Amino acid sequence: MSNRPSRGPVEVVVCVHNSPEDVDLCLGSVVRTLRDRDRLIIVDDGSDHETQKICELFAAHHEEQVRLIRRPHGTGFCKAANAGLRETSADTIVVLNSDTIVVGDWLDRIVACMSANWQIGIVGPLSNAGGWQSIPSLQSSNLTDQGVRSDRATIAAIHDYCAQFGDRFAYPLVEQINGFCYVLSRDVLSAVGLFDEERFPMGYGEESDYTLRALDAGFLCAVAIDCFVYHAKTKSYSTEARSIYNETGQEQLRALYGVKRLEAAVTLSHAHPVLAKIRAEAAEAFRENDWLERTDAAIGPEDA
């Protein structure tokens, strides 16, 4: 569209490990939103045959903008993400989970947030399941999603609804950015390096570590409150495996940064007044617009 804001190219890295239905939806949604100079890098980390074929056919069909890196033996999220990051050259890089759905001008809004302050080096959008970035409410620990409808029309409507927040509020500066859609600038990647694949081989804590490393290097982290990315929550690993990986990651974070610093970072994000205001408004809007799958869901601005 001729009225779209000018921006440089963006590279999107999607790490894949099985869950073929989610992968197919995610890749299709990403490629529909790319501009001519944008690029998608798929890192298939040892997926089974069905998912492997989806990735291969997709890359072949979109060979001008899509590159596929095939890792025949799964080595975990961090090594896969780092393999993708090593292949990037753009000033803005998105590490995107393969269980997400994106719509419209999401990349334009991400870049606008990144460009709002020269110190911003990490950005994340709003989501239905994105930690403290979640709307219309915060997640409970055992909630896989918030009952938000996942059809493209609903996601686009929510994304359009969120545009107003960018006009009304400054981008919230936080100390935690959820890893489902983790956006890095070239400057922060050059200064901080790659994800710590030794301490966080399967993920589950690597984004918290990276965010704190970036803050220590003098960068800022912001939430693109005018951008919404749907997150189904991964099905690549079992619930038991995810619980083990998460606890292992938390142990590493506590050893690296101490409990007090981690709690302070969480509190700042959890209690940020702009995010709290947005959740309060979104709770009503989601009901009014029928964006929830469960019409009887008790969604409140601070449900936990």
Side-chain angles (χ1 to χ4, degrees):
M1 294 174 60
S2 60
N3 62 344
R4 290 189 302 179
S6 175
R7 65 164 174 81
V10 177
E11 289 169 309
V12 182
V13 177
V14 177
C15 300
V16 170
H17 180 73
N18 297 328
S19 192
E21 296 84 1
D22 288 326
V23 169
D24 193 38
L25 286 171
C26 175
L27 298 182
S29 76
V30 171
V31 80
R32 281 190 293 269
T33 66
L34 298 180
R35 293 191 186 181
D36 290 343
R37 293 192 297 156
D38 297 334
R39 188 164 63 136
L40 170 60
I41 301 171
I42 306 168
V43 185
D44 180 7
D45 191 39
S47 293
D48 294 339
H49 178 74
E50 183 179 2
T51 306
Q52 178 184 345
K53 292 305 293 183
I54 288 173
C55 294
E56 290 175 350
L57 291 171
F58 191 87
H61 187 66
H62 302 280
E63 59 181 355
E64 291 187 0
Q65 285 191 286
V66 177
R67 174 171 183 197
L68 173 61
I69 300 172
R70 169 71 180 167
R71 299 168 65 84
H73 305 290
T75 54
F77 175 81
C78 271
K79 288 185 178 180
N82 284 344
L85 289 172
R86 289 188 185 97
E87 298 300 316
T88 64
S89 58
D91 288 338
T92 303
I93 310 106
V94 183
V95 181
L96 185 70
N97 279 18
S98 62
D99 56 357
T100 56
I101 299 174
V102 298
V103 293
D105 62 349
W106 73 290
L107 287 175
D108 294 350
R109 299 186 192 189
I110 287 289
V111 172
C113 179
M114 185 74 78
S115 304
N117 184 317
W118 67 271
Q119 284 184 280
I120 294 177
I122 297 175
V123 167
L126 297 178
S127 180
N128 59 298
W132 311 126
Q133 298 152 230
S134 299
I135 59 171
S137 70
L138 297 177
Q139 302 164 257
S140 65
S141 59
N142 62 353
L143 196 61
T144 56
D145 62 55
Q146 296 191 166
V148 175
R149 290 166 51 188
S150 60
D151 60 283
R152 197 188 311 170
T154 296
I155 297 170
I158 297 171
H159 181 66
D160 289 344
Y161 165 77
C162 290
Q164 61 163 314
F165 297 134
D167 295 330
R168 295 167 52 202
F169 303 111
Y171 297 115
L173 298 178
V174 296
E175 294 188 2
Q176 294 276 285
I177 292 292
N178 195 280
F180 76 99
C181 179
Y182 198 79
V183 188
L184 304 81
S185 70
R186 175 61 50 185
D187 287 343
V188 80
L189 185 60
S190 298
V192 177
L194 300 171
F195 291 118
D196 187 340
E197 60 188 44
E198 298 302 322
R199 291 187 175 92
F200 306 95
M202 305 305 294
Y204 296 90
E206 84 293 341
E207 80 276 26
S208 295
D209 169 65
Y210 200 93
T211 301
L212 293 172
R213 286 159 59 195
L215 291 169
D216 288 345
F219 294 94
L220 298 174
C221 306
V223 180
I225 51 177
D226 55 351
C227 179
F228 182 85
V229 172
Y230 180 84
H231 185 202
K233 298 290 283 187
T234 183
K235 303 177 186 70
S236 297
Y237 303 102
S238 68
T239 300
E240 181 180 4
R242 290 198 303 270
S243 178
I244 293 171
Y245 296 150
N246 184 65
E247 180 53 36
T248 301
Q250 291 302 311
E251 288 176 359
Q252 290 285 1
L253 289 171
R254 288 191 289 268
L256 285 168
Y257 300 103
V259 173
K260 287 186 177 179
R261 182 172 185 191
L262 294 175
E263 288 180 346
V266 167
T267 298
L268 174 63
S269 302
H270 174 215
H272 198 289
V274 170
L275 295 177
K277 175 67 171 172
I278 287 172
R279 284 192 291 269
E281 293 187 13
E284 181 177 356
F286 272 61
R287 289 195 189 97
E288 289 181 348
N289 291 283
D290 193 28
W291 292 334
L292 298 173
E293 288 184 339
R294 299 189 301 271
T295 57
D296 60 344
I299 298 293
E302 294 298 339
D303 288 347

